[in-house]
Amino acid sequence: MSGRLTNRRPGANLRSPRLRAAALGTVLAAVLTPALAACGGDDAAASGGSATLKWTSSYFPTHWDPVVGGSGAQFRELALVYASLTRTDESGKAVPDLAKSWEYNDKGDEITFHLRPGLKFSDGEPLDATAVKAAVERAKKQKNSALFGDLTSITSVDADGLDAVVHLNQVDYQIPQLLGQRVLQIASPKAAKAPAELDQNPVGAGPFTITQLIPGTKAVLKKNPDYWDAKNIHIDNVELTSAPDASTVISGLQTGVYNFADIDPSQADAAKKAGLDVFVQPGFNASNLSLNVNKAPFDNDKVVDAVRYAVDRQEFVDKLTFGYGEVTNQPFPKGYVAYDPESENAYAHDPAKAKKLLAAAGYKPGELKLNLVIPAEDPQAEVVQSQLAKVGIKVTIKIDKNWATPFFAKDLTFSLYGTTGRDSAAQTLTAHFGPNGPLNLSSPYEPKGFEEAIAKVRQTPLDAPAYARTLQAATRAGLESRALVFTYSQPNLIAKNKSISDLPKNPAHIDWTGVTISSGN
């Protein structure tokens, strides 16, 4: 499930850390760079100058089984291979993908997806309602599934030819938003009988099929002629590689080793000066400080509030985003439908008030000491350390490469997290504030009134006039949580060769529909 866990920029997995590929894989990627460049040229020549996307990604999938990979930032790469029931349009709404249409029953606790006829996986297996049923059941039951927490509203799926009838345990109008590329990328049931093999040999029904996979390093793909919308896919081949050191990405784009890459805000000016297209792909990214209120000292409300007032969000933006980010005290950026304007100025930066609260909690300046546990070096941690020091809290930064285990076991006291959100805003809220939310370090704690507020969201159709107001009320209820202090958001930055046409601006997604690559890429 998506999110950045304290690495250099947002966008990773809500359940597993968004870390760079293993050290060996990174070394291999660097060693193979010249060879890949030569290989790309040979491929183009052999295919008569076919359009080849050479994408280097800092989110290269560690898993190609979508159930294991979850809905983290790597879902963008997995979407090359896998398709889903729905996709997201430029307004962030669910639109048809494998499902041509859907409708709810009168009560709102059952939804039927009508699949397109003639669909099949790249192994030739039919993609029908039985395949959808198998995908949902596997995501709910497979032991290493990263998706089961997203599918708690679903009790069962009935398959009737091309109609998949999804039965819910509550009224939930969020399902079309939920079952898109992030949460239900559908694999061939035949291939998924051996999940470990699927992880190395992905079989989907997406726009491309894999012809070569070097785990953690490189994937070579070709256009899937059986993809339902193949006529609008104008890219013939894809060379996907794990990004080397950030400092070499721009030079690789300049020399043609790559023609598409996600970049750090710190690289944007250099990319522009190099004549590359640099654009912002909208997203739902938000970073936070995660507190465990079940452990001292955060079991004291005054200490929690002191941390809230100590945080200077603008400093995060100024030092970490190079002008591309925005402050936020919510799990959503400003302008998004779920962002609550009424909560915007809650707990504004006030170090004097923070000091008074700490004194009222019984702590003298410098007496309160905290360990901030993170999985890798992160400039965010240094900003937090500095800001809390100014109010009398001493923070020691500790790096634990196995950080994910204690974080998701709720054993840590103080950490950092950042997410890419969900296409379903309700799912983003429950992930952060629900009693079983993977991003709620204080589980099973939840803020009073949140459960009722999120239930109202699920019970409200997305096109209802009251939807935005109801959703924002749920955000407001969630922000009563003492377990999270949000800091800033930043969009997804992409740099590309000018030979690649503009991409659809679907929030948080990378959609290759209609994209062309002119000669000379």
Side-chain angles (χ1 to χ4, degrees):
M1 310 185 202
S2 154
R4 174 190 66 156
L5 302 189
T6 73
N7 286 32
R8 60 191 177 92
R9 62 179 179 274
N13 192 295
L14 294 183
R15 297 188 63 87
S16 59
R18 188 289 219 188
L19 302 174
R20 191 179 293 277
L24 177 59
T26 303
V27 172
L28 283 172
V31 171
L32 287 172
T33 295
L36 292 181
C39 178
D42 292 342
D43 287 349
S47 57
S50 61
T52 299
L53 172 70
K54 292 183 275 191
W55 178 4
T56 189
S57 171
S58 56
Y59 308 114
F60 191 93
T62 53
H63 294 283
W64 286 85
D65 177 353
V67 163
V68 181
S71 57
Q74 67 277 358
F75 83 90
R76 301 181 182 100
E77 285 80 0
L78 268 63
L80 293 167
V81 178
Y82 299 104
S84 306
L85 290 174
T86 66
R87 62 168 71 180
T88 302
D89 68 8
E90 293 192 11
S91 69
K93 294 181 180 179
V95 295
D97 195 16
L98 295 176
K100 63 180 181 180
S101 62
W102 53 84
E103 74 269 343
Y104 277 90
N105 64 356
D106 292 340
K107 188 177 178 181
D109 63 356
E110 178 185 289
I111 179 172
T112 300
F113 289 93
H114 305 289
L115 298 177
R116 300 177 188 276
L119 297 173
K120 62 181 179 179
F121 295 99
S122 59
D123 61 358
E125 291 292 302
L127 200 171
D128 53 16
T130 300
V132 175
K133 174 182 172 69
V136 172
E137 291 178 347
R138 193 168 72 91
K140 287 173 68 70
K141 297 177 181 179
Q142 188 167 302
K143 287 184 178 181
N144 60 349
S145 172
L147 302 177
F148 66 92
D150 289 308
L151 302 173
T152 55
S153 287
I154 298 176
T155 56
S156 63
V157 179
D158 289 336
D160 182 11
L162 296 179
D163 292 342
V165 184
V166 180
H167 301 281
L168 310 174
N169 55 26
Q170 59 183 321
V171 176
D172 191 347
Y173 288 104
Q174 294 279 314
I175 299 300
Q177 293 289 117
L178 180 67
L179 299 185
Q181 287 183 340
R182 288 174 177 265
V183 175
L184 197 68
Q185 294 179 324
I186 300 176
S188 163
K190 180 180 179 181
K193 288 180 180 179
E197 293 183 18
L198 178 70
D199 210 22
Q200 303 300 317
N201 299 284
V203 181
F208 301 94
T209 60
I210 284 187
T211 60
Q212 181 187 12
L213 177 60
I214 302 174
T217 301
K218 173 186 176 184
V220 179
L221 306 93
K222 65 178 181 179
K223 179 177 175 179
N224 179 8
D226 295 322
Y227 175 55
W228 74 268
D229 198 24
K231 67 180 183 299
N232 289 314
I233 298 298
H234 308 303
I235 297 171
D236 301 300
N237 302 292
V238 178
E239 295 172 5
L240 178 68
T241 58
S242 177
D245 185 82
S247 63
T248 68
V249 169
I250 302 304
S251 61
L253 288 164
Q254 285 180 285
T255 58
V257 175
Y258 323 116
N259 54 21
F260 189 89
D262 54 274
I263 60 171
D264 275 338
S266 62
Q267 298 171 288
D269 284 348
K272 290 177 180 177
K273 291 177 181 177
L276 300 166
D277 279 340
V278 177
F279 64 97
V280 172
Q281 194 72 2
F284 311 129
N285 304 325
S287 296
N288 68 63
L289 282 62
S290 293
L291 318 180
N292 192 332
V293 302
N294 301 313
K295 296 178 179 288
F298 297 125
D299 55 352
N300 186 323
D301 289 356
K302 291 184 175 64
V303 174
V304 172
D305 285 347
V307 171
R308 285 168 159 169
Y309 285 115
V311 168
D312 180 359
R313 295 175 175 84
Q314 189 61 48
E315 185 179 2
F316 286 90
V317 173
D318 293 343
K319 290 186 175 179
L320 304 180
T321 76
F322 292 79
Y324 287 94
E326 292 184 337
V327 301
T328 185
N329 65 345
Q330 308 180 29
F332 308 107
K334 292 180 181 179
Y336 183 47
V337 63
Y339 186 89
D340 178 42
E342 292 186 27
S343 300
E344 186 169 320
N345 295 316
Y347 300 100
H349 182 223
D350 191 337
K353 184 176 288 188
K355 292 177 181 178
K356 289 180 180 179
L357 285 163
L358 288 172
Y363 291 99
K364 297 178 181 179
E367 189 175 11
L368 179 56
K369 300 177 181 180
L370 299 172
N371 289 330
L372 179 61
V373 183
I374 57 177
E377 289 185 9
D378 188 342
Q380 279 190 85
E382 296 174 6
V383 175
V384 173
Q385 184 182 53
S386 172
Q387 292 184 1
L388 294 190
K390 291 176 182 178
V391 301
I393 301 174
K394 183 177 181 180
V395 173
T396 300
I397 300 170
K398 291 186 176 294
I399 294 175
D400 180 359
K401 294 182 179 179
N402 297 315
W403 164 95
T405 299
F407 185 93
F408 293 113
K410 320 299 182 183
D411 289 335
L412 298 181
T413 300
F414 189 32
S415 190
L416 298 179
Y417 204 100
T419 76
T420 59
R422 286 287 195 284
D423 295 321
S424 164
Q427 203 67 22
T428 297
L429 290 171
T430 55
H432 285 89
F433 306 125
N436 299 309
L439 307 188
N440 178 5
L441 189 58
S442 297
S443 293
Y445 159 79
E446 71 173 329
K448 184 179 179 181
F450 176 71
E451 188 172 346
E452 295 80 3
I454 202 66
K456 288 182 180 178
V457 172
R458 297 187 186 283
Q459 294 163 10
T460 306
L462 275 64
D463 58 356
Y467 177 69
R469 183 171 64 252
T470 303
L471 181 57
Q472 291 162 15
T475 299
R476 197 175 316 131
L479 291 174
E480 293 298 320
S481 173
R482 295 181 287 116
L484 297 112
V485 180
F486 291 91
T487 52
Y488 74 104
S489 67
Q490 68 182 45
N492 305 300
L493 283 178
I494 303 292
K496 66 178 179 66
N497 187 288
K498 292 183 182 295
S499 64
I500 301 178
S501 65
D502 292 341
L503 276 67
K505 290 192 175 182
N506 302 5
H509 293 254
I510 294 179
D511 184 356
W512 300 107
T513 305
V515 177
T516 60
I517 302 178
S518 61
S519 60
N521 86 86

